Amino acid sequence: MARVRRPGARWWVGAVGLTGLCLASGLPPAYSQQSVSVRATLVKGALPADDPAAAAWATAAVSEFPMSPQVHWPVRITDVTAKSVKVRGLHDGTTVAILLEYADPSEDPDDAAALEFMVGDSKAHFAHGQPMAQVQGGPVNIWYWKNKDGKGVDMGAKGFGTLKPHTHQTVNAKGVYQGGAWKVVFSRPFKTDHGEEDTQFKPGEFASIAFAIWDGKKMDTGQPKEKGSEKAISSWWYFRADAPPDYSPYMYAALAVALALGFELVLVRRLKKGS
Amino acid sequence: MKGVLVRPIFLTVFIYLFLKFIVPNLPHSAPLPSSLIFLYLMLTTAGIVIFATLSGASKDAFFGPMLRFLTGESGGAFGGARYLVLALFPLLVGWQTYGSTASSDAPPAENRTIHPAPPGEYTGLSNPVPKTPDNIMYGKGLYASRCSPCHGNFDGKGFAAPGFTPPPANFKDPTTIAMLQESFLFWRIKKGGVGLPVEGMPWKSAMPRWELELSDEDIWKVIMGEYDGAGQKPRTWDESE
């Protein structure tokens, strides 16, 4: 009589394989994804708030965001010089510094860059906080730097045409042009005394951030290639300054392991007694 | 242990695979959220336990192998597996605890409604412009000059598009203008990104407010040009009845 092989004797091999395949299908892809946030890490030494070329920036995580021409407002442009911007962040617990790095074929006096933030809890449209038709949006806080001015300007807006510098100025900025690229660092204390106009940072919490870049190259008309609302812009992304190290999750995990182990020991002991 | 537990394990794995990989591929279906799959697997497990405990004999047959495994009475190859399970269980609990208490690096979730309801005055409007070849051509011309830098060749891949998130709509995609009425497009084009209601947050739409630059008639012509260029037809009340 022929020997009959029992089907499914090695069922667990198939089950483990299938489970593995299912788990693998849920894993993130190996290729890197587009950045969605800027992370400012806690710097150990001095914060390079006025040095865009400082070695400390090499220790900061880099994020890269694509840029598009500003098209929302009618005074628009359809092609821009900056196609993307690399962003790094550092902080020392009281002051935050954000470094923008982007390609620009020429150094021009009207070259400029800016950061944009929401203010307070009110959401705002990324295009200068343009008023929304159906809901009340909030203002935006803009940190602006222009090469020929050589300083940072703290500004506010609630829609195109409403941009104006704040009466108080707490933003510093410095740019360095090296090898066909700008490096511009902005810095400001986490908190200011003007919460209704300035964005306030809290370590560990996400804030919305957007970027703008102007190529100030002078054209035949005598005007800069990009100026005003004719600029490269990004959508809203996220920014977060790292909170101080928190070891409590490790403590909770260790406690949970001890409790689970104790539960197991009691259970097995009882079962043995019962049997 | 083999005979009694093989079927429940196979059944659970089969249901998981069915929900995860087969259901999304059924007609008019979509991938199930993991929380729903988890709920179904919990129901399956509860059903198996209820079935296995219908009588005293079946209960002993079901739980007996598990108890013998835990107490080490199974012996043989199960001895090593027992220590593995007893070691892994506390580690799994610790890992879950860490995951639920450690702060996440993920930004806040954005539950944006892609096609929010338009205001009442824009509901059910019909295109007042005659659908003539000249009007369609005129609308395509306006599309080429005003819309194509971002929306491209009706595919959402214009040269100005890469920095925008969400990306400009792809009109050839059957989930965009093909499932919308012309009145919805009229509202979105006329009022742009700043016309979005609160459920359209976080307000990243760069769509211009074209009422500042185009007449209503021109907007209706652009809509005709869009549908014709993308090879789509607007959704109408007649078709849904």
Side-chain angles (χ1 to χ4, degrees), chain A residues 138-186:
Chain A
V140 290
N141 182 198
I142 291 171
W143 301 1
Y144 180 75
W145 164 89
K146 188 183 248 187
N147 184 22
K148 68 182 178 190
D149 297 338
K151 63 174 184 179
V153 185
D154 191 2
M155 307 173 99
K158 200 170 178 183
F160 278 101
T162 65
L163 181 71
K164 62 177 181 184
H166 289 154
T167 51
H168 61 278
Q169 290 295 317
T170 46
V171 172
N172 289 314
K174 186 172 182 184
V176 170
Y177 186 79
Q178 286 177 337
W182 273 109
K183 285 184 178 180
V184 184
V185 61
F186 294 87

Side-chain angles (χ1 to χ4, degrees), chain B residues 24-159:
Chain B
N25 293 315
L26 296 176
H28 309 295
S29 186
L32 299 179
S34 54
S35 56
L36 188 60
I37 293 178
F38 180 75
L39 180 70
Y40 283 136
L41 291 181
M42 284 296 103
L43 289 172
T44 305
T45 308
I48 289 169
V49 172
I50 290 169
F51 180 77
T53 53
L54 284 176
S55 71
S58 66
K59 187 180 115 187
D60 291 343
F62 183 74
F63 287 113
M66 290 188 221
L67 298 182
R68 285 195 293 279
F69 176 77
L70 285 175
T71 54
E73 291 169 28
S74 300
F78 289 113
R82 173 176 174 260
Y83 284 116
L84 192 66
V85 168
L86 291 177
L88 281 179
F89 174 68
L91 291 177
L92 184 67
V93 172
W95 181 52
Q96 286 286 346
T97 306
Y98 176 81
S100 60
T101 53
S103 64
S104 169
D105 283 339
E110 293 175 355
N111 297 318
R112 183 177 70 96
T113 302
I114 296 174
H115 300 309
E121 64 264 35
Y122 292 98
T123 305
L125 297 177
S126 51
N127 196 332
V129 178
K131 196 176 176 183
T132 63
D134 281 353
N135 284 339
I136 291 173
M137 191 56 68
Y138 187 83
K140 280 186 173 175
L142 284 174
Y143 177 92
S145 63
R146 309 297 177 104
C147 317
S148 68
C150 297
H151 291 281
N153 186 25
F154 306 98
D155 57 3
K157 294 178 181 168
F159 60 86

Side-chain angles (χ1 to χ4, degrees), chain A residues 45-110:
Chain A
L47 188 69
D50 56 357
D51 186 1
W57 287 112
T59 65
V62 60
S63 304
E64 186 164 8
F65 304 94
M67 302 292 283
S68 271
Q70 188 291 119
V71 296
H72 178 78
W73 189 243
V75 184
R76 62 176 66 90
I77 191 170
T78 52
D79 188 30
V80 287
T81 301
K83 307 296 184 197
S84 70
V85 60
K86 287 181 181 169
V87 189
R88 292 174 170 86
L90 289 171
H91 76 91
D92 62 3
T94 58
T95 300
V96 63
I98 298 170
L99 178 74
L100 303 186
E101 186 178 352
Y102 57 92
D104 185 342
S106 62
E107 179 185 359
D108 305 287
D110 287 311

Side-chain angles (χ1 to χ4, degrees), chain B residues 127-205:
Chain B
N127 196 332
V129 178
K131 196 176 176 183
T132 63
D134 281 353
N135 284 339
I136 291 173
M137 191 56 68
Y138 187 83
K140 280 186 173 175
L142 284 174
Y143 177 92
S145 63
R146 309 297 177 104
C147 317
S148 68
C150 297
H151 291 281
N153 186 25
F154 306 98
D155 57 3
K157 294 178 181 168
F159 60 86
F164 295 126
T165 173
N170 171 3
F171 301 133
K172 292 179 177 173
D173 185 324
T175 65
T176 60
I177 59 173
M179 58 180 279
L180 296 167
Q181 295 177 16
E182 284 179 287
S183 56
F184 184 94
L185 272 69
F186 182 70
W187 167 58
R188 291 292 284 117
I189 295 171
K190 188 176 166 93
K191 295 294 179 184
V194 292
L196 289 170
V198 69
E199 59 265 34
M201 284 203 303
W203 303 333
K204 293 177 177 177
S205 168

Side-chain angles (χ1 to χ4, degrees), chain A residues 124-138:
Chain A
H125 193 274
F126 81 94
H128 265 217
Q130 277 287 85
M132 302 291 288
Q134 298 190 53
V135 279
Q136 181 74 33

